[in-house]
Amino acid sequence: MREIHFQTIDSTNTYAKEHKNEFAKDEITCITADEQTSGKGRYQRTWVSPKDAGIYATFYFTLPKTTRQIGSIAQVMALSFAKVLLHLAFKPEIKWPNDVRLKGKKVSGILCEISDSSDFFEFFLGIGINVNMDEQAASQIDQPATSLFIESGIRWNKKELLKRVQDQFTKDLLLFKKEGFTPFHKQLDELLALKGEMVRFHDGANVWEGICHSLSSDGQLNLLLSDNTIQTLSSGDILK
Ligand code: BTN
C-alpha cells in the first residue's frame, strides 16, 4: 500500500480526488492527515477532525467496471474496522449503512465517493475514527459521539491502529473482488445496530417508520412496517 501523509489538509477525500491521476491503479493509496480543516461527512455534513484526536484516512483504489454492488464497499470498510475493534475487545455495532458505534454512540464514519469517468471505477473511501478524542471535544459533535479513549480509558497508538485497519481492509477488498458482497453479509447483519427497535428512516423523499429488521443479502436495510410487510431501503439514514 502506498501512503501519503499530511500534518494538515482540508480533507483527505478532496486531496485524493484532486490528485487521482498521480496514483497507481493497481494498488491501494492511503492518504492520511493529523488534522483536517474541512473534513467532510455524508450528505454535506462536516466531520470534526481535530489535531491528533483521530484517524482521518482516504483509501484510493480502482475496480473494473464489471464489478457489482460497488455501493456496498463502504459497508465492507465498516466491517473491516469493526473486526479490528472486536479483536481489541470492544463491542462494535454498525448503524446502517456504515456508522460504527460503541454503546450507541458513533466512533467512526465512512464517506465513499466513486468516480466512473475512466475505464474503471475509482474509489475515494474515507474513514474517520475518533481515537483519542476527549469527552469535551466529543460533546461538541452534533450527534452522540464517542472515542476509543472515552470507552476504554486508554490512549491508543494511531499508527498501529491504522495499520490494523489497512491490513484488514486489504484482505477484505481482495475477498470482495473475488466473491462480492456475499461473504460479508452475515457478520454485518449480526452487528446491525438498533435491530428489533422501532426507528424512523429518511430516504430523501419520505420518512418511514418501522422495526429495524435485518440487512438484505445485498446490503440494503429491511424495515418491518406496521402492516407486517418488509420495506427494503437502499439509501438514506436512520434518524436516531
Ligand atoms: C460520515 O459519517 O458522515 C462520514 C465521515 C467520513 C470522514 C472521513 S475523515 C477522512 C475522510 N476525509 C473526509 O473529508 N472525510 C472522510
Side-chain angles (χ1 to χ4, degrees):
M1 185 174 303
R2 202 178 141 222
E3 298 196 45
I4 303 176
H5 181 73
F6 296 94
Q7 284 178 348
T8 301
I9 196 136
D10 51 356
S11 150
T12 53
N13 266 45
T14 305
Y15 176 89
K17 286 191 287 180
E18 286 171 359
H19 294 261
K20 61 180 188 159
N21 295 337
E22 298 161 24
F23 307 151
K25 303 301 162 204
D26 55 355
E27 65 174 340
I28 302 176
T29 300
C30 182
I31 299 114
T32 53
D34 293 333
E35 74 176 331
Q36 296 184 119
T37 53
S38 195
K40 296 190 305 173
R42 293 170 64 230
Y43 299 117
Q44 272 78 51
R45 292 189 203 117
T46 309
W47 185 257
V48 178
S49 315
K51 191 164 167 46
D52 299 326
I55 288 173
Y56 316 116
T58 297
F59 292 75
Y60 170 85
F61 52 92
T62 68
L63 289 177
K65 276 271 168 75
T66 49
T67 312
R68 295 172 56 209
Q69 290 183 255
I70 52 169
S72 58
I73 277 285
Q75 288 167 293
V76 171
M77 172 59 95
L79 183 58
S80 301
F81 177 53
K83 285 191 277 199
V84 168
L85 290 182
L86 285 168
H87 189 79
L88 297 173
F90 287 99
K91 292 196 168 68
E93 290 184 324
I94 300 175
K95 183 184 151 197
W96 193 90
N98 47 48
D99 285 355
V100 181
R101 311 214 304 182
L102 292 172
K103 299 204 186 121
K105 294 180 183 172
K106 184 160 166 172
V107 71
S108 168
I110 293 165
L111 173 67
C112 185
E113 301 181 271
I114 304 174
S115 161
D116 64 358
S117 62
S118 305
D119 297 342
F120 35 78
F121 289 124
E122 290 175 287
F123 291 79
F124 309 91
L125 180 57
I127 179 165
I129 305 171
N130 300 333
V131 181
N132 293 322
M133 183 179 270
D134 60 24
E135 298 258 14
Q136 156 70 19
S139 67
Q140 307 295 308
I141 296 175
D142 61 358
Q143 55 180 310
T146 192
S147 72
L148 301 187
F149 169 68
I150 293 169
E151 296 305 324
S152 65
I154 296 169
R155 297 235 172 247
W156 293 84
N157 180 317
K158 287 195 300 147
K159 230 179 164 171
E160 278 174 25
L161 196 65
L162 175 66
K163 176 86 173 69
R164 285 178 190 263
V165 176
Q166 290 173 329
D167 290 349
Q168 187 61 53
F169 180 68
T170 301
K171 279 188 210 158
D172 289 338
L173 183 61
L174 211 64
L175 183 61
F176 181 84
K177 280 186 200 173
K178 279 201 203 121
E179 297 181 32
F181 183 70
T182 309
F184 304 96
H185 171 259
K186 184 167 177 279
Q187 201 173 7
L188 275 166
D189 183 54
E190 283 166 2
L191 294 177
L192 187 66
L194 302 166
K195 220 180 211 184
E197 289 184 36
M198 189 60 113
V199 295
R200 280 164 10 103
F201 185 96
H202 191 222
D203 70 4
N206 301 299
V207 175
W208 299 87
E209 240 178 50
I211 290 172
C212 178
H213 182 270
S214 56
L215 197 69
S216 76
S217 59
D218 55 0
Q220 302 183 54
L221 182 67
N222 288 328
L223 270 195
L224 179 64
L225 305 183
S226 55
D227 62 2
N228 238 6
T229 60
I230 292 277
Q231 179 70 36
T232 303
L233 297 150
S234 62
S235 71
D237 255 328
I238 298 175
L239 303 169
K240 195 172 190 184

